[in-house]
Amino acid sequence: MAIALAMKDAPRVTATSQHPLEPLTGDEIAAAVSILQQSGRLGPKARFVLAVLQEPQKEIVLGWSPGQEVPREAFVQILDNADGKVYEAVVSLTESTVTRWEHIPGVQPSLMLDEFFECETAVKADAAFQAALAKRGITDMALVMVDPWSAGWYGDESKSYENRRVLRAMAWLRSEPGDNGYAHPIEGVAVIFDLNTAEVVEVIDTGAVPLPSAPGNYAREYISEFSDTSEFRKDLKPYEVAQPEGPSFSVTGHEVKWQKWSFRIGFTPREGLVLYTIGYLDGGEVRPIMYRAALCDMVVPYGDPGYNHYHKNAFDCGEYGIGMLANALELGCDCLGEIRYFDAYMAGSRGSVLKMPNVVCMHEEDFGILWKHVDWRTNQTEVRRSRRLVVSFISTVGNYEYGFYWYFYQDGTIQYEIKLTGIMNTGAMVPGDTCKYGTEIAPGLYSPNHEHSFNVRMDMMVDGPKNSVYEVHCEMEPEGPENPAGNGYFAKSTLLKTESEAQQLVDPLAGRYWKITNPHALNSMGKPVSYKLAPGENTSAFQHASAYVSKRAGYMSKHLWVTPYEADELYATGKYPNQSQIDTGLPAYTKDNRSIEDTDLVVWYTLTHNHIPRPEDWPVMPVGYIGFSLKPAGFFDRSPALDVPPTSAKCCTSTSNGSYGSSSNGHNGNGHNGNGHNGNGAH
Ligand code: CO
């Protein structure tokens, strides 16, 4: 392949004056692939795992000014199916050369999209697999679903395929082509499949459990036609979002400006949506808050210790690629209103360019009230509607869906929220048996307890690159002369000086949060400007430290981690977690216990959603939520939301009392005068 292509001219991409963080275009990915193919380094069975922008050094990006030319580079991972070797390459698109080529020994890169299909096809054609299914009375292979679970690492048990690129496949059965097969798990059969050689290594059969037969269908045709107990409800009237003058944001390339916010959008196969250079316009200048923010890892450890289930520990970012699995979003279904979509481009494993249309959705949402006060003496009401900007993507990982949402608010708040939906993982059980480690969700069908543990990496730069982090919690003042009525309490703030001091857990009963401050930038009260990380729902990891998954994803054991910035420390589980035996991520990054005081630092936050399945989560799970916020805490001198204008009253229909428009439009008639506010004096 390399020799044949060497006859052609290498495509050339000149240095451009576009922003250095603009993602690779389809043409640039094609050029990177072509330059590598012509370099003579690729064997005939080489495949492209990913090709992404090699992000220029931070100093170059921050020092860039419009018009300046910055060389373009691609970072490419390559897997050679012939010998299983993995390579990293950096390709200069500007110079049409390979500037770095390195064999990375002892690692497995994440899965490639076409490997999923190769695995399913080969496993279904395998005689030993077919024999195991025949023992269970299953002969129609067209109705069998083979899901490619990552193989992980389980000590001695995994040793026989230690140096192979393997999946651990599990199977489900549809009753007909449109049926939800996850209702019918084929319990007791697992397949070790080698992706390099495309062969079944081992079929593990631990014995049959009766196939659950109850249907678990949710698709429209089953609700409206086949179900005798339910049909679509008929009382839902249309709800439309109208923005007659269009959205309030502007987009240039991948740069977004909305209200006083500005940031850039990127997208990678592993992380999905990446936000860069988040800043807020204040006093005529853009004040930086974060340099780079992305979900960097997630793990879903299952809690059933049974042999068929303890292998379920999917690393959806590092093993599968949450960005690679992103949906093409649809107007009116996934997002509502005036939408701006962004496409992404990725390298197909055989060197093609994959255009992923509409993977990122951006739109505005009304979010209730932003602030309000009624001066009950003058009867003047001031109320503002809250508008938020939503930037999101949704991925399908086998049976599950995850939506990832960044929200920007007019009061300087940034919020991150994950929406969990899709179909729960299932197993078969003897109907009516006790189900200690899960919930029976249909007769003979159960879903194991599990957690969804996410980690979001935030490269902070609150008003500049050098920041410090404080832990803050509340304490009661001891009873005594300083606290005669026993009511006194205070927020205690402690500087976190080292990486080990920053490894912390949430503590909602003490009101714990963390503050990222810039000791060199003071607000008008003379205090260092800060943003605070306000946790939301969270739980601890319910795996022992000795668990195999804990040894590979140690980040789960702490909610907060802080590291000094290192350009190649990007992932909580390290660069190559697929089939990893040890953790090369946060536990390794932090082992020297570096200083994190007054330096360029990165905050890593772990959010763990604990999922004890409910029958109501079946057959398709209504969205569950988990998230956190970054809120200005002394970053501004007062509320930055005072200049949000009142809403025009015309958006209310004539049947309402008109009370939420401009300041004096009908309050006298709406009952406020008579409801006791005038007389009670205090709230
Ligand atoms: Co779940």
Side-chain angles (χ1 to χ4, degrees):
M1 178 165 60
I3 293 166
L5 282 167
M7 302 299 287
K8 292 185 190 170
D9 284 339
R12 196 176 174 87
V13 179
T14 53
T16 60
S17 56
Q18 66 186 339
H19 191 276
L21 291 175
E22 278 292 307
L24 293 186
T25 63
D27 286 347
E28 286 178 319
I29 289 172
V33 165
S34 175
I35 291 163
L36 278 163
Q37 286 170 335
Q38 293 177 43
S39 73
R41 289 181 167 91
L42 304 185
K45 289 193 158 185
R47 289 167 79 168
F48 298 90
V49 179
L50 58 77
V52 296
L53 175 72
Q54 170 75 25
E55 294 175 15
Q57 288 174 2
K58 206 190 259 197
E59 302 74 45
I60 292 172
V61 174
L62 294 175
W64 181 82
S65 55
Q68 187 183 337
E69 295 200 342
V70 176
R72 298 283 286 171
E73 291 183 322
F75 173 76
V76 187
Q77 281 176 350
I78 293 130
L79 168 72
D80 195 330
N81 279 154
D83 54 13
K85 284 186 175 171
V86 177
Y87 301 90
E88 290 183 0
V90 174
V91 177
S92 167
L93 299 164
T94 314
E95 304 292 331
S96 292
T97 54
V98 179
T99 57
R100 182 178 155 231
W101 175 262
E102 188 179 349
H103 171 227
I104 311 294
V107 301
Q108 290 296 340
S110 60
L111 296 169
M112 294 172 271
L113 202 54
D114 37 9
E115 288 182 319
F116 293 169
F117 301 102
E118 291 162 14
C119 171
E120 178 164 48
T121 304
V123 168
K124 283 164 77 163
D126 180 73
F129 178 70
Q130 289 180 356
L133 265 53
K135 273 196 240 166
R136 291 161 169 82
I138 300 164
T139 52
D140 185 353
M141 298 309 289
L143 294 173
V144 173
M145 312 188 325
V146 176
D147 274 12
W149 282 73
S150 53
W153 175 257
Y154 301 91
D156 288 346
E157 182 192 328
S158 304
K159 278 240 157 62
S160 63
Y161 44 85
E162 180 172 7
N163 297 314
R164 304 178 80 153
R165 177 172 177 78
V166 288
L167 285 171
R168 184 183 185 86
M170 287 178 264
W172 283 261
L173 182 70
R174 297 185 198 266
S175 63
E176 57 184 24
D179 178 53
N180 172 13
Y182 293 112
H184 319 294
I186 304 171
E187 193 71 56
V189 183
V191 180
I192 304 297
F193 183 77
D194 187 316
L195 290 161
N196 280 327
T197 59
E199 63 184 334
V200 170
V201 177
E202 188 182 1
V203 175
I204 301 156
D205 189 343
T206 55
V209 176
L211 192 79
S213 60
N217 286 306
Y218 55 89
R220 61 193 69 194
E221 60 270 26
Y222 291 96
I223 304 300
S224 58
E225 291 173 24
F226 292 99
S227 169
D228 52 4
T229 57
S230 70
E231 57 182 20
F232 289 122
R233 56 186 75 180
K234 296 183 172 62
D235 53 356
L236 202 58
K237 295 194 167 52
Y239 177 93
E240 290 176 1
V241 175
Q243 293 182 266
E245 295 174 32
S248 313
F249 52 73
S250 65
V251 178
T252 310
H254 286 75
E255 182 183 35
V256 176
K257 289 186 174 167
W258 177 78
Q259 300 286 283
K260 298 184 173 185
W261 290 103
S262 59
F263 56 87
R264 305 192 61 84
I265 283 176
F267 201 87
T268 71
R270 176 162 178 172
E271 303 157 291
L273 178 62
V274 180
L275 298 182
Y276 300 102
T277 59
I278 298 169
Y280 192 92
L281 185 66
D282 183 32
E285 279 185 32
V286 174
R287 298 174 63 188
I289 297 164
M290 280 198 274
Y291 178 76
R292 191 185 194 280
L295 175 79
C296 72
D297 260 309
M298 59 173 289
V299 181
V300 187
Y302 281 80
D304 185 333
Y307 178 80
N308 292 313
H309 297 278
Y310 71 65
H311 299 94
K312 293 177 178 173
N313 295 289
F315 289 40
D316 291 332
C317 291
E319 292 175 338
Y320 293 107
I322 201 85
M324 183 183 80
L325 300 172
N327 298 172
L329 300 172
E330 277 185 53
L331 185 63
C333 306
D334 297 304
C335 320
L336 215 53
E338 288 288 314
I339 310 293
R340 173 67 157 82
Y341 291 109
F342 294 85
D343 302 332
Y345 292 88
M346 291 184 190
S349 88
R350 309 289 183 186
S352 61
V353 174
L354 303 178
K355 180 181 179 180
M356 301 181 67
N358 292 6
V359 286
V360 173
C361 165
M362 182 170 77
H363 70 290
E364 295 173 280
E365 277 179 5
D366 179 276
F367 193 62
I369 60 168
L370 175 61
W371 56 264
K372 176 172 185 173
H373 184 60
V374 179
D375 184 325
W376 51 268
R377 290 189 173 84
T378 66
N379 207 31
Q380 178 169 349
T381 299
E382 293 289 346
V383 60
R384 302 293 183 270
R385 298 296 300 174
S386 177
R387 185 86 63 90
R388 67 181 184 183
L389 183 69
V390 189
V391 191
S392 67
F393 76 105
I394 302 175
S395 292
T396 300
V397 190
N399 50 300
Y400 240 96
E401 263 75 13
Y402 297 98
F404 303 95
Y405 295 74
W406 288 99
Y407 301 109
F408 294 88
Y409 292 86
Q410 292 160 308
D411 69 349
T413 297
I414 302 169
Q415 184 191 351
Y416 189 69
E417 184 172 73
I418 300 156
K419 299 184 185 181
L420 304 97
T421 180
I423 303 175
M424 293 186 297
N425 188 253
T426 53
M429 60 181 279
V430 176
D433 261 12
T434 55
C435 192
K436 184 175 181 182
Y437 306 107
T439 305
E440 190 171 7
I441 52 174
L445 182 73
Y446 92 110
S447 179
N449 299 339
H450 59 279
E451 296 183 286
H452 303 262
S453 182
F454 306 88
N455 188 278
V456 180
R457 178 185 180 276
M458 291 170 282
D459 183 348
M460 304 301 298
M461 56 179 306
V462 176
D463 251 353
K466 289 195 165 184
N467 291 167
S468 293
V469 179
Y470 289 80
E471 182 270 348
V472 185
H473 69 270
C474 287
E475 289 184 11
M476 289 185 283
E477 185 67 36
E479 290 172 296
E482 298 293 322
N483 188 19
N487 64 308
Y489 79 103
F490 58 95
K492 184 174 177 181
S493 195
T494 306
L495 175 67
L496 306 176
K497 293 180 184 153
T498 63
E499 289 177 311
S500 64
E501 287 178 16
Q503 289 167 19
Q504 301 215 340
L505 296 173
V506 296
D507 186 356
L509 295 183
R512 175 174 285 165
Y513 59 88
W514 297 282
K515 217 162 60 170
I516 300 101
T517 74
N518 184 331
H520 309 284
L522 306 181
N523 62 24
S524 69
M525 279 68 74
K527 301 289 194 301
V529 299
S530 300
Y531 256 77
K532 75 176 201 183
L533 195 170
E537 174 198 317
N538 220 329
T539 53
S540 57
F542 293 118
Q543 299 76 37
H544 289 284
S546 59
Y548 290 111
V549 68
S550 303
K551 291 178 188 165
R552 301 174 56 227
Y555 80 85
M556 292 192 296
S557 66
K558 300 290 178 185
H559 297 122
L560 184 80
W561 301 74
V562 182
T563 57
Y565 172 78
E566 280 292 335
D568 60 353
E569 293 180 358
L570 282 168
Y571 310 109
T573 62
K575 204 171 190 179
Y576 292 98
N578 190 16
Q579 294 180 246
S580 64
Q581 297 180 25
I582 56 160
D583 193 333
T584 58
L586 279 169
Y589 298 160
T590 58
K591 73 178 188 321
D592 291 338
N593 199 21
R594 297 168 292 189
S595 168
I596 51 167
E597 188 180 351
D598 192 12
T599 190
D600 185 0
L601 57 80
V602 177
V603 170
W604 313 67
Y605 182 63
T606 304
L607 319 70
T608 299
H609 182 80
N610 182 31
H611 193 174
I612 306 301
R614 305 174 300 157
E616 291 86 347
D617 292 333
W618 182 255
V620 63
M621 180 182 152
V623 166
Y625 301 85
I626 189 168
F628 66 94
S629 294
L630 287 163
K631 288 174 169 289
F635 187 78
F636 301 104
D637 292 336
R638 59 179 187 172
S639 168
L642 294 182
D643 60 351
V644 175
T647 314
S648 159
K650 71 183 176 192
C651 62
C652 307
T653 65
S654 56
T655 53
S656 83
N657 62 23
S659 65
Y660 84 93
S662 54
S663 57
S664 59
N665 65 351
H667 277 272
N668 287 338
N670 71 1
H672 273 275
N673 285 339
N675 67 359
H677 276 273
N678 283 339
N680 64 7
H683 291 270

